[in-house]
Amino acid sequence: MWLVLEDNLNRTESFYEAASLTDTKVSIKVWRIASLMIEELPNYINEASLISLDHDLYKHKDDDPDPGTGREVANYLSTLVPSCPIIIHSTN
């Protein structure tokens, strides 16, 4: 399972496309909000084979909640025993 923090719909679709090209069936769980990912990670972390974190997250609409950053999730992950590769990316 790939666990993905991403706010860009095009990049999210690219993850699904890449997963479809793998030799094994890969499922993907995507979050847009860092705090929600942190809250739900314990439910998925044991199945993770890859974690991808977008550092700079942006609201889609003005009234959306603050999405936080991938760094917040990285800080949380640093408290756990490493279990799979982690990618952190940014458009900046």
Side-chain angles (χ1 to χ4, degrees):
M1 174 176 275
W2 294 352
L3 307 179
V4 178
L5 178 65
E6 180 58 63
D7 63 345
N8 182 291
L9 296 177
N10 291 330
R11 284 194 297 264
T12 300
E13 286 302 316
S14 294
F15 276 103
Y16 285 104
E17 197 174 309
S20 73
L21 300 174
T22 62
D23 291 337
T24 59
K25 185 178 177 186
V26 175
S27 59
I28 299 176
K29 173 68 177 158
V30 178
W31 291 269
R32 286 189 55 249
I33 299 172
S35 61
L36 187 57
M37 184 178 189
I38 292 167
E39 180 181 321
E40 295 180 1
L41 266 174
N43 299 322
Y44 300 97
I45 196 75
N46 291 332
E47 300 175 53
S49 59
L50 174 72
I51 300 173
S52 176
L53 305 174
D54 182 0
H55 181 272
D56 300 311
L57 300 171
Y58 299 97
K59 295 180 179 185
H60 284 193
K61 296 180 273 180
D62 287 340
D63 60 346
D64 283 348
D66 179 4
T69 68
R71 177 62 187 248
E72 294 170 50
V73 180
N75 288 344
Y76 169 75
L77 289 169
S78 73
T79 69
L80 306 177
V81 174
S83 61
C84 66
I86 299 172
I87 299 168
I88 301 175
H89 67 91
S90 175
T91 54
N92 291 339

